[in-house]
Amino acid sequence: MSDHVYKKIEITGTSAISIEEAVQNAISRATESIHSLRWFEVIETRGDIAEGKIRHWQVTIKIGFTLDE
């Protein structure tokens, strides 16, 4: 087993439907430009309120990925 070196980035995903979809949207978008994603951690969860209801979820995550050899 070889040793790995990782890098972390912080991004925010959004969704009008759910927290989980906001996280998935962030990860899906990250995979378009970054490869070797390994893990994520939720840093912050917040939302937008309109007329007393949740209008949009915003979830900030840190994503860890392996650096190329």
Side-chain angles (χ1 to χ4, degrees):
M1 180 173 155
S2 63
D3 294 330
H4 296 286
V5 175
Y6 299 94
K7 179 168 179 66
K8 290 195 296 185
I9 60 168
E10 186 173 296
I11 61 175
T12 301
T14 64
S15 169
I17 297 172
S18 69
I19 293 170
E20 290 84 2
E21 184 173 281
V23 171
Q24 186 59 59
N25 289 342
I27 292 170
S28 293
R29 180 64 175 88
T31 61
E32 292 177 16
S33 58
I34 301 168
H35 59 277
S36 300
L37 300 182
R38 298 291 183 218
W39 50 266
F40 75 94
E41 59 184 293
V42 174
I43 302 302
E44 183 176 45
T45 304
R46 60 185 173 275
D48 180 36
I49 301 170
E51 299 176 8
K53 295 184 180 181
I54 297 169
R55 185 170 67 171
H56 224 85
W57 291 99
Q58 301 170 336
V59 180
T60 300
I61 63 174
K62 286 186 179 178
I63 296 177
F65 58 96
T66 307
L67 295 177
D68 292 338
E69 295 293 326

